[in-house]
Amino acid sequence: MQKLCIQKITIKNSPAFKEASFYPSLHFNVFSGASGAGKSVLMESVLALFGLRETNATFLEATLDLQGIPQEFEGLIDEGEVVLTLSKKDKIRYFLNAQNIPKKKIQELFTPFLKHLSTKSYDAANEQNLFLTLDGFIQSKNQAYQQILQNYKESFLHFSEAKNTLKTLQEEALKVAELKEFVRFEIQKLETLNPKKGEYEELLVLKKEISKKEKINESLQNVREFLNQSHKVSEFLNLINSDESDSILNALNLLESLCEQEGERLETLEMRNIEEILNRIEALSALKHRYGGVDEALEYLENKKQELQKYENLDSILKDAQHSYNRAKDTLQARAKVLTEAREKHLSDFENALNLALTSLKMPKAKVVLKTLLEVESYTLLGAQNLAITLNTALKNLSSGEFNRFRLALLLAQSAQTNHQAIIILDEMDANLSGEESQGVANALKALSTSYQIFAISHQPHMPSLANTHFLIQKQPNGSTITPLDKQGRIQEIARMISGDSITKEALEFATKQLSTLQCN
């Protein structure tokens, strides 16, 4: 179960409030006051706290009751009481229980819980949101519907993956002959060169040795001429009876052995074709430049062999992909049929609930139409249908006031069962409405406040008369204040809203009667 409600809000250094705190009701909160007192500034601050507006204050903080944390946020915060803080100094920072959290994460966490109904918000008219409302209504009536919806979405994603795989293989099949020829050429080129691990480095060493061969040979000849005179060294050592005779003669023997070994090595080098070695080094150097090294070239060769094998087996792979696509398509169609039937079954009840809400809001009745898509390729993640709702005109042609009352009707029709599943924020929802229309909006918000925590600005008396908590915002020399009104204060403020600053006896009587008749204490 997911729900969110605000228990306390603190604002510091905004355009209207130097410092202010208030404790909203869990249900219907209405804010009134003279123009310019700071009501809209307050709502902007609330939206900024959840990352939905740029902040207009240096410090914002809310104590929240948060239940049902999305899986991707588990471990980041715990359920229950959460303190959300926004601080603006050198830059803007968000904190959850004193833990620094990026703004994007704040938006991802809280946006599903917030519904901001402003005079410029037309997002509810898109088909995705209309389906969300319809599906929400059906879920409140049918416990098995959530699983039906989930099964369809899983099948759609599986079908989309199978379709994309098949399409890719079909495209490859069209150019497979060209691809096979190219891959064969790449393989043949590498296999002809037949590089070995460490060969390039060994050839560089060999090249260096060959380049020194003439100098080594010349020096070897000089040493051998010296060794040809070694008998004279032996005679000298015998004549002087030196104690070092044996070690010197042993050293000369060792030198002679070394010369023999080096001579054999030079003969071997003489047999090597230097031109072939240089050509080989050049070829391996080009390989190194292209692939990064011999090891990388060998890995590339292995990958190309596997790629060629895939092309050789493409017919079999393509056949398997076609079977997977057909199975995914059959499953999707079967689950789409179950989803469609569930929607069709509850469509009339949804339309009736929507029209009941529209009637209470003094709006014309709506027609809800589900059109089944014939081709499975036309299915979307939303289902195998198109959903359209029209009143006496298309939704896009409604005025902003009419459209926001339509949004309220959608919320009412959804028949939400979970208390405080979200927060609704409204900025002068009843502006430019007739008294009868304004009363309808107030009644709708009162009904919604059993399922939502509502924050609303109003310049008419109907919302304040039904609110659980009525806050008066007043402009003061040291910054505006937010004051929760008692019954007498509410009567005075409602009377002011009716008659203006010069409060009349009739306005007071009307306000008293409204609160006595309508307000739930």
Side-chain angles (χ1 to χ4, degrees), residues 173-268:
L174 294 175
K175 52 183 181 180
V176 69
E178 180 181 343
L179 288 171
K180 284 166 68 175
E181 187 62 31
F182 174 75
V183 172
R184 284 198 187 101
F185 172 75
E186 291 278 284
I187 292 173
Q188 182 182 9
K189 186 167 62 174
L190 284 170
E191 286 184 336
T192 300
L193 184 59
N194 192 25
K196 302 292 189 300
K197 289 186 178 182
E199 180 185 5
Y200 180 71
E201 290 74 17
E202 292 175 2
L203 287 174
L204 288 178
V205 173
L206 182 59
K207 176 186 174 184
K208 187 176 181 180
E209 290 179 347
I210 291 174
S211 67
K212 297 193 306 180
K213 184 184 66 171
E214 295 302 326
K215 288 185 178 181
I216 294 173
N217 189 52
E218 182 180 347
S219 180
L220 177 62
Q221 295 306 318
N222 292 332
V223 173
R224 280 176 169 170
E225 288 177 5
F226 165 75
L227 289 173
N228 288 336
Q229 304 297 320
S230 61
H231 64 281
K232 294 180 179 182
V233 176
S234 177
E235 290 174 0
F236 171 72
L237 291 173
N238 287 332
L239 288 172
I240 65 174
N241 294 318
S242 173
D243 294 336
E244 303 295 332
S245 295
D246 289 342
S247 60
I248 294 173
L249 292 173
N250 286 336
L252 289 173
N253 290 332
L254 181 61
L255 179 60
E256 187 173 4
S257 176
L258 183 61
C259 288
E260 289 298 324
Q261 292 176 13
E262 188 61 22
E264 291 175 0
R265 192 178 72 84
L266 290 175
E267 288 179 5
T268 301

Side-chain angles (χ1 to χ4, degrees), residues 264-292:
E264 291 175 0
R265 192 178 72 84
L266 290 175
E267 288 179 5
T268 301
L269 287 176
E270 191 67 35
M271 297 173 62
R272 300 297 296 267
N273 188 321
I274 184 61
E275 187 175 349
E276 288 182 358
I277 293 172
L278 293 175
N279 290 338
R280 184 70 175 174
I281 290 175
E282 183 180 359
L284 291 175
S285 179
L287 194 76
K288 187 178 179 68
H289 178 73
R290 178 173 181 183
Y291 300 106

Side-chain angles (χ1 to χ4, degrees), residues 401-434:
E402 289 173 328
F403 188 82
N404 281 313
R405 279 186 283 156
F406 170 73
R407 290 191 68 187
L408 283 180
L410 288 177
L411 291 173
L412 285 167
Q414 196 169 339
S415 301
Q417 300 297 311
T418 304
N419 286 339
H420 312 301
Q421 66 173 13
I423 296 170
I424 299 176
I425 299 174
L426 309 102
D427 191 347
E428 301 187 37
M429 185 73 177
D430 55 6
N432 302 317
L433 297 184
S434 67

